Amino acid sequence: MTDQKGPTLSHAEWVNNFLNGKRQVTETDAALAIAYYPLLVDLATRRRTITFKAFVELAKATYPHNPAVPNAIPVSTGRRLEFVRIFTALQDLPDLSAWVTGQNGKNSSTFERDFDPVKERRESAEVDWSLYQEAWDAHAVVLRKKAQKLKP
């Protein structure tokens, strides 16, 4: 996207710290994002919100043998959900991360500044996510490669 002043950021680039260059991908980011995606799809399918704390506990129960998951903590979960947000933005899909809330059952003010969580949840619940599995798998491959580039 460009304007008279030169290149501008897409909405996805503007709201995503990894696309806009503010953060770099780690192996843990990639591993957790890949583990979290199917959990988010399941939440959307069942139309169930969950707190960050409960979401991390769900991931730990679901993936006890994934080496990245046992060390996951709620405070860094939003960072990992950004990778799912990249995928949904690139596919022009609603944001699955809207299903994960704070302890008060609400999304953060930062999230609400960029998204309407009620709309994102409603629209994501209506998507047939199985149609996007192949695209997600390809996205996961790219995500892993980006993380590997950061190794010394």
Side-chain angles (χ1 to χ4, degrees), residues 39 43 48 50 53-63:
L39 299 177
L43 291 171
R48 178 178 167 228
I50 191 170
K53 182 178 180 181
F55 184 74
V56 169
E57 293 306 316
L58 175 63
K60 289 178 180 183
T62 305
Y63 302 108

Side-chain angles (χ1 to χ4, degrees), residues 1 8-15 19 90:
M1 180 182 245
T8 59
L9 297 175
S10 70
H11 180 71
E13 292 167 324
W14 181 257
V15 300
L19 289 177
L90 292 172

Side-chain angles (χ1 to χ4, degrees), residues 12-13 15-26 29 78-83 86 146:
E13 292 167 324
V15 300
N16 191 282
N17 289 316
F18 296 97
L19 289 177
N20 66 24
K22 291 182 182 176
R23 294 185 181 160
Q24 293 187 353
V25 183
T26 68
D29 291 332
R79 172 184 172 98
R80 281 58 195 246
L81 296 179
E82 284 195 58
F83 293 102
I86 290 171
K146 285 183 179 183

Side-chain angles (χ1 to χ4, degrees), residues 33 37 40 80-89 96 136:
Y37 176 79
L40 292 168
R80 281 58 195 246
L81 296 179
E82 284 195 58
F83 293 102
V84 177
R85 192 172 300 125
I86 290 171
F87 171 73
T88 57
L96 283 166
W136 169 256

Side-chain angles (χ1 to χ4, degrees), residues 3 8 12 19 21 24 31-32 38 55 57 66 83 85 95 109 113 124 139 141 152:
D3 62 17
T8 59
L19 289 177
Q24 293 187 353
L32 289 175
F55 184 74
E57 293 306 316
N66 180 325
F83 293 102
R85 192 172 300 125
D95 186 357
S109 59
R113 185 182 64 231
S124 66
H139 180 72
V141 168

Side-chain angles (χ1 to χ4, degrees), residues 92-142:
D92 197 28
L93 293 165
D95 186 357
L96 283 166
S97 71
W99 294 98
V100 185
T101 68
Q103 285 295 104
N104 63 1
K106 297 181 180 181
N107 295 92
S108 72
S109 59
T110 303
F111 183 89
E112 290 183 357
R113 185 182 64 231
D114 298 318
F115 300 95
D116 175 351
V118 173
K119 178 181 179 234
E120 299 298 322
R121 285 192 288 269
R122 183 182 66 246
E123 291 179 359
S124 66
E126 296 170 3
V127 171
D128 180 353
W129 292 97
S130 68
L131 299 175
Y132 298 93
Q133 187 60 50
E134 189 174 315
W136 169 256
D137 293 341
H139 180 72
V141 168
V142 170

